[in-house]
Amino acid sequence: MRPLDTSNGKNNVNDATSELGSTIRFEYESSEIKAEYQPIITSEAKQLAANRHLQLRLEGNTDERGSAEYNIALGERRAQAVKKALILLGASESQLSTVSYGEERPK
């Protein structure tokens, strides 16, 4: 997840948002969020809800296993799963965007 602060009309990462942008890891071939990451998602959703000027780009990644098409789709499912969880916990859909890099940017 990449934080974007748009309070000044620019999309740049700054110190005010450095606490956002945690990495959420998934099991192989899964887009299900593991329970151990729920506190992180809850915390980030609360921060987004309290700071409506913040925006977060959710980046879906995979490893090199599987075809490029499969990995792009899996990365998108992962990003969408986190987006849905953040929205359910109070973040606004307009604060969130998703992108899938598949295996191009493994973490």
Side-chain angles (χ1 to χ4, degrees), residues 2 10 17 19 30-31 46-48 63-65 75 82 84 90 95-96 105-106:
R2 297 269 186 183
K10 297 178 182 176
T17 61
E19 67 275 7
S30 176
S31 59
K46 286 179 182 178
Q47 291 177 59
L48 288 164
D63 62 18
E64 73 283 350
R65 294 175 282 188
V82 174
K84 180 180 177 182
Q95 292 178 281
L96 305 170
R105 294 187 186 178

Side-chain angles (χ1 to χ4, degrees), residues 26-61:
F26 294 85
E27 294 293 330
Y28 177 65
E29 292 190 356
S30 176
S31 59
E32 183 177 328
I33 300 169
K34 295 191 277 186
E36 68 190 81
Y37 293 108
Q38 287 302 327
I40 293 169
I41 291 174
T42 300
S43 174
E44 294 198 4
K46 286 179 182 178
Q47 291 177 59
L48 288 164
N51 299 282
R52 293 295 182 182
H53 65 278
L54 294 179
Q55 294 185 340
L56 195 61
R57 181 177 58 229
L58 307 168
E59 299 177 351
N61 301 282

